[in-house]
Amino acid sequence: MSGSPPDPSRRRFFRQFAGEVVTSAAQVVGAVAEVRDRSAAEAQALLGGVEPVVSGPGTPGARAGARGILERAAGGAAPSGFRTPFRFDAADTLLVIDQRALPDELIELPVHNAYDGARVIREMAVRGAPAIGQVAALSLALSGWLARNAPPRSRDAIVRAAAKHLAEARPTAVNLGWAVRRVMAAYDAAAAAHDAATAVAAHDAATAAKAGASGPEIAAAMRAEADRIVFEATDDHGRLAEHGFSVLPDVGDRELRLLTHCNTGPLACGQFGTALGVIQVAHHAERPLHVWVDETRPYLQGARLTAWELAQAGVPHTLIPDVAAASLMAAGRVDAILVGADRVAANGDVANKVGTYPLAVLAARHGIPFYVCAPISSVDLDTADGAAIPIEERAPDEVTQVRGRRIAPDGTAVWNPAFDVTPAQLITVIVTEEGVLHPPFEPALRAAADARASRRGPHAGPRPGPHPGAVEPAPA
Ligand code: MRU
């Protein structure tokens, strides 16, 4: 495997929103706001002036066609795409694209608090490990804001219950607990400072007034941490994509044929994407390539979302039934397989969308490199190996039905695991924002997590500690 050096003139595409020198919280928030503003504007531009429809309890059945996006892509419009599957509206309501309706319709669901956030995550309106973490962080911050004027003990109970509820929304993507823990750490730090001020205030009316104003400040600290998570993902995924690009196989002048599974693009990640980010960097570096897109039964993230994102980005691709991947590999028509991860265990075992493990077995059989593209936020050093990763099982109707239409006999028994575990031995490299990791993965993952922590500071790594779902509300 030889590396093609990244074309520096192309880096701007992946750096323009990331900002290379961001150190203060104020700068971070500004950068995030810019990402959001641009995303909203791009969404409208892509839709040819059609506003995405905000759907909610008051607007049942409201829909807008999203076909204009593909038509524009087909018509040679500049490659683009959503850089985030969510945005804030003016009223501090998080609007989340309902990915279940794509590619036919663009619907945005309003999220006002952590319970709304947990619902859109659980029901997979938003999905993909990094995006799940970001929506969890932002919706928890919204709950903190709603509780800002509550008495401190009530506020504490409200915020902790919200964190617990969110953390339980889906079990496998470790980014969810990681993001909730980070926002709760910001909450704890701000609340502790507030409580100290309140203790002083008992003897000092002026300080008491100041302490009374701290509910909004605590909420602001939660929001700042959530914004930081979103911003860091933008930067991290851009780095990851460039690292991944540098190790793509050298196949001479012919086109590079990559196979991918599920959806790992901006819809799944909030920004550039992981495996799909690598593919987009290669495309923007004008490397001839063709992508085989697994349809990804049963939820069809490949057919509905990856094909849609690649079409927007102008990347040549072909959709295949998952079961056709073996024949393609046997025929020598796949040069590398790129997938994402929902959780990377300490030993390098990887949980990802069900169907990933069979691809890795086939890749080993046919001598094809198998790349896992995962930010450090998807690494769980507290979980020793894949056997300890909780695998989500989802409802039978995802298998017995296709988009609401039953295809199996009524009452058919179903086993529907959403993920599977690929053993570390089948993985060629793990691509992270800290570089490309080779086996043995455990020391490499620990070093990469340390490198990220020192680059970002103490609050930005996978931190061992109790899962927020296990944290009891403080005694009243
Ligand atoms: O069930 P989903 O759609 O949330 O599963 C998503 C995946 O398995 C992705 O491959 C994974 O989250 C990585 S996204 C960068």
Side-chain angles (χ1 to χ4, degrees):
M1 194 186 313
S2 84
S4 309
D7 175 353
S9 68
R10 299 280 163 186
R11 288 171 64 98
R12 200 178 64 82
F13 177 77
F14 277 85
R15 287 285 186 221
Q16 62 182 343
F17 300 115
E20 290 182 309
V21 190
V22 177
T23 48
S24 76
Q27 282 175 302
V28 167
V29 171
V32 167
E34 189 181 347
V35 168
R36 287 197 191 114
D37 291 349
R38 290 196 190 193
S39 296
E42 276 172 11
Q44 262 179 276
L46 283 163
L47 287 165
V50 178
E51 288 264 7
V53 168
V54 177
S55 178
T59 56
R63 297 285 186 272
R67 242 174 248 296
I69 296 169
L70 290 177
E71 279 160 14
R72 279 175 63 88
S80 189
F82 293 109
R83 288 193 170 77
T84 146
F86 51 80
R87 64 186 173 103
F88 271 94
D89 75 357
D92 250 14
T93 298
L94 186 66
L95 296 176
V96 172
I97 292 176
D98 186 349
Q99 298 186 30
R100 297 167 299 184
L102 293 173
D104 296 326
E105 297 164 310
L106 183 67
I107 301 169
E108 290 183 313
L109 303 173
V111 168
H112 303 289
N113 54 46
Y115 294 88
D116 290 346
R119 195 183 66 250
V120 296
I121 290 169
R122 194 171 43 249
E123 295 177 358
M124 289 177 67
V126 62
R127 31 66 49 203
I132 287 171
Q134 292 163 49
V135 168
L138 291 167
S139 61
L140 181 55
L142 286 174
S143 277
W145 178 249
L146 292 173
R148 67 192 179 283
N149 294 324
R153 285 182 181 167
S154 307
R155 181 195 64 221
D156 200 62
I158 290 167
V159 170
R160 289 188 194 286
K164 182 174 186 304
H165 188 75
L166 260 174
E168 291 169 347
R170 288 188 79 187
T172 304
V174 73
N175 308 59
L176 175 58
W178 176 84
V180 169
R181 271 205 305 280
R182 279 186 58 170
V183 175
M184 287 306 290
Y187 167 79
D188 284 336
H194 171 243
D195 291 348
T198 307
V200 174
H203 306 286
D204 175 354
T207 314
K210 191 165 171 241
S214 289
E217 287 166 19
I218 293 169
M222 296 171 74
R223 176 64 182 273
E225 186 65 0
D227 284 343
R228 200 172 288 120
I229 287 169
V230 176
F231 172 76
E232 288 174 8
T234 308
D235 186 42
D236 288 343
H237 299 169
R239 287 169 179 271
L240 181 157
E242 288 175 359
H243 286 305
F245 173 58
S246 72
V247 292
L248 288 176
D250 184 353
V251 294
D253 289 339
R254 74 163 167 80
E255 70 180 9
L256 179 66
R257 298 152 314 175
L258 304 171
L259 188 146
T260 193
H261 191 66
C262 196
N263 172 259
T264 60
L267 286 167
C269 298
Q271 291 78 22
F272 307 122
T274 55
L276 230 53
V278 175
I279 288 168
Q280 289 203 45
V281 168
H283 176 64
H284 282 267
E286 291 172 5
R287 198 153 171 197
L289 81 162
H290 192 95
V291 183
W292 301 109
V293 179
D294 264 5
E295 61 173 348
T296 316
R297 278 282 295 157
Y299 211 73
L300 303 174
Q301 290 94 330
R304 294 187 300 106
L305 307 176
T306 300
W308 188 70
E309 288 185 328
L310 289 175
Q312 287 180 66
V315 179
H317 60 281
T318 301
L319 183 65
I320 59 165
D322 300 338
V323 286
S327 310
L328 276 178
M329 290 188 227
R333 298 175 70 192
V334 179
D335 297 310
I337 297 172
L338 270 65
V339 297
D342 279 77
R343 191 184 296 225
V344 181
N347 73 340
D349 290 353
V350 167
N352 191 51
K353 180 52 53 194
V354 67
T356 302
Y357 171 48
L359 287 177
V361 173
L362 286 163
R365 166 74 176 82
H366 296 288
I368 296 167
F370 189 87
Y371 300 171
V372 171
C373 305
I376 299 296
S377 59
S378 298
V379 175
D380 178 8
L381 295 174
D382 292 337
T383 295
D385 56 32
I389 298 176
I391 299 297
E392 175 183 9
E393 291 186 22
R394 295 191 60 86
D397 58 13
E398 288 181 4
V399 180
T400 57
Q401 299 180 7
V402 174
R403 307 206 91 179
R405 187 186 167 134
R406 190 162 56 78
I407 55 168
D410 220 2
T412 301
V414 170
W415 179 53
N416 183 19
F419 303 96
D420 59 24
V421 173
T422 299
Q425 304 91 288
L426 296 178
I427 297 168
T428 311
V429 292
I430 300 176
V431 181
T432 75
E433 66 270 34
E434 301 304 331
V436 177
L437 313 184
H438 296 264
F441 288 123
E442 176 140 15
L445 286 166
R446 290 190 185 281
D450 287 348
R452 186 183 188 279
S454 57
R455 188 164 57 79
R456 290 280 180 220
H459 293 293
R463 286 174 296 166
H467 192 272
V471 176
E472 292 298 321

